[in-house]
Amino acid sequence: MIRKVSGLIQGRHTMDGAGVKLYRVFGGTEVAQITDPFLLLDFFGSSKPEEYIMGFPWHPHRGIETVTYVMEGKVEHEDSEGNKGVIYPGDIQWMTAGSGIFHQEMPKPLDDKEVLHTKVLNTNNKGLQLWINLPANKKMTTPVYRGLKNTQIPKEDIEGGYVKIVAGEYKGIPGPVKAGKDVDPTYLHVSLSPESEFYHKVKEGYTVLAYVIQGKAKFDPNSPEISEGNLVIFDQGDEIKVNTTENNSVEFILLAGKPLREPIAWYGPIVMNTQQQILEALSDLRKGTFIRNKTPIFE
């Protein structure tokens, strides 16, 4: 059965980090009941370095996974375990914070050498960051860091566009992220030209969302066209069908995951199950004992 569009969420423009202008698609305890297991989605996009150059200096995370997807420009990152690098256009950083990690993410324009290499001739910095909840029995797990280059992420050409497979699978093609069975996430980047169709099987009972990056499309056969900046919430069913009309193309992110249906206690970059766990995390920050596991696993 094809899933119908059951609702839309429109984000809001805000600032985070040290003054980065971004578009918060969704986020917060109340909305998380609808988007479970997904907690937050931010879209960042600007051609003005002064709107993003101050970045996201050192900050902690516990109890969640963060997925950073860079589309234009680059993000320089570093964490408390000494790992550092650069996320370039098309790359993904998938980090399981687990019991706790400090990191910083600093968006930058590409320099002259990188512009020649990537043929991106502007100062744009554009991408997405998604937060995924961890189940109660995994919130204090050892951190896991995954850095994926664009060339490591399968990209399947379809009639009228393509599907980039970060996690989950599309037509039997698996994404490179082997995330846990508790949430079983799917993360697809889909691009369609005018008069094209995208069809995908999804699991019954899973939360399914689509964020429209640009353009517009019909996200079920009977829905009106839904335009960029909107988050599509799907009803139940086991199929997704998206169509573009004669004059419009679309680019969107499709997310699917098994809802955890667990209590949420949220304080900034820390998401746990109880207020007592939040107080414990804040105590750890004060005492300098926030990092519980010193050696994260790399995948």
Side-chain angles (χ1 to χ4, degrees):
M1 182 176 70
I2 294 175
R3 289 195 181 214
K4 296 180 180 179
V5 174
S6 65
L8 296 176
I9 292 177
Q10 287 189 324
R12 60 185 177 88
H13 295 279
T14 186
M15 296 179 73
D16 209 336
V20 177
K21 289 188 176 182
L22 53 82
Y23 182 71
R24 180 144 294 159
V25 182
F26 67 87
T29 306
E30 292 184 9
V31 175
Q33 307 305 314
I34 300 170
T35 59
D36 181 16
F38 306 108
L39 296 166
L40 175 146
L41 181 64
D42 283 341
F43 174 81
F44 53 92
S46 176
S47 61
K48 300 177 181 178
E50 65 270 19
E51 294 185 350
Y52 61 79
I53 203 71
M54 297 303 291
F56 304 89
W58 289 99
H59 58 279
H61 283 295
R62 177 179 283 182
I64 64 173
E65 296 187 288
T66 66
V67 184
T68 305
Y69 180 21
V70 174
M71 298 174 184
E72 295 184 42
K74 64 182 179 181
V75 174
E76 297 175 354
H77 68 89
E78 186 175 1
D79 68 34
S80 51
E81 302 297 329
N83 308 302
K84 61 192 302 184
V86 182
I87 314 171
Y88 286 109
D91 295 351
I92 294 274
Q93 181 198 73
W94 192 302
M95 185 185 74
T96 303
S99 59
I101 198 166
F102 282 89
H103 75 160
Q104 67 171 354
E105 300 155 299
M106 307 302 286
K108 308 279 186 183
L110 295 173
D111 61 33
D112 292 342
K113 184 178 179 181
E114 292 163 334
V115 165
L116 289 173
H117 175 67
T118 62
K119 298 182 175 63
V120 180
L121 302 176
N122 55 46
T123 58
N124 286 3
N125 192 276
K126 174 181 173 182
L128 293 160
Q129 184 170 90
L130 173 71
W131 291 12
I132 306 175
N133 203 4
L134 285 171
N137 64 347
K138 299 289 177 64
K139 283 192 175 292
M140 295 299 288
T141 193
T142 302
V144 179
Y145 175 86
R146 308 170 184 89
L148 301 168
K149 295 298 182 184
N150 186 34
T151 53
Q152 296 175 288
I153 304 171
K155 186 176 177 182
E156 180 72 2
D157 290 329
I158 60 174
E159 186 174 351
Y162 64 81
V163 179
K164 191 172 181 180
I165 310 150
V166 177
E169 65 174 38
Y170 174 73
K171 291 187 175 180
I173 302 168
V177 177
K178 309 302 179 186
K181 294 181 180 179
D182 303 279
V183 169
D184 188 25
T186 291
Y187 190 126
L188 305 178
H189 178 186
V190 183
S191 179
L192 295 176
S193 59
E195 295 189 292
S196 299
E197 178 179 288
F198 168 78
Y199 169 84
H200 184 57
K201 296 284 288 185
V202 293
K203 295 180 181 178
E204 287 275 10
Y206 277 36
T207 299
V208 182
L209 311 168
Y211 173 62
V212 187
I213 300 170
Q214 62 183 20
K216 59 174 64 175
K218 294 166 65 69
F219 282 82
D220 78 42
N222 298 314
S223 81
E225 289 182 290
I226 297 170
S227 60
E228 60 190 65
N230 284 289
L231 181 80
V232 179
I233 303 167
F234 290 97
D235 207 340
Q236 292 303 307
D238 62 357
E239 301 173 349
I240 297 295
K241 188 176 181 181
V242 180
N243 291 91
T244 51
T245 58
E246 181 180 358
N247 298 316
N248 293 306
S249 58
V250 74
E251 188 176 358
F252 65 93
I253 298 294
L254 183 73
L255 302 171
K258 184 179 179 181
L260 295 174
R261 298 190 176 91
E262 294 180 350
I264 294 174
W266 193 327
Y267 186 88
I270 300 167
V271 184
M272 304 300 288
N273 296 108
T274 68
Q275 193 61 34
Q276 181 58 40
Q277 291 170 332
I278 294 293
L279 293 174
E280 180 182 343
L282 295 177
S283 176
D284 285 343
L285 286 170
R286 287 193 298 270
K287 294 186 297 184
T289 57
F290 187 79
I291 306 300
R292 299 290 187 87
N293 297 295
K294 293 291 186 181
T295 309
I297 298 171
F298 294 85
E299 290 187 352

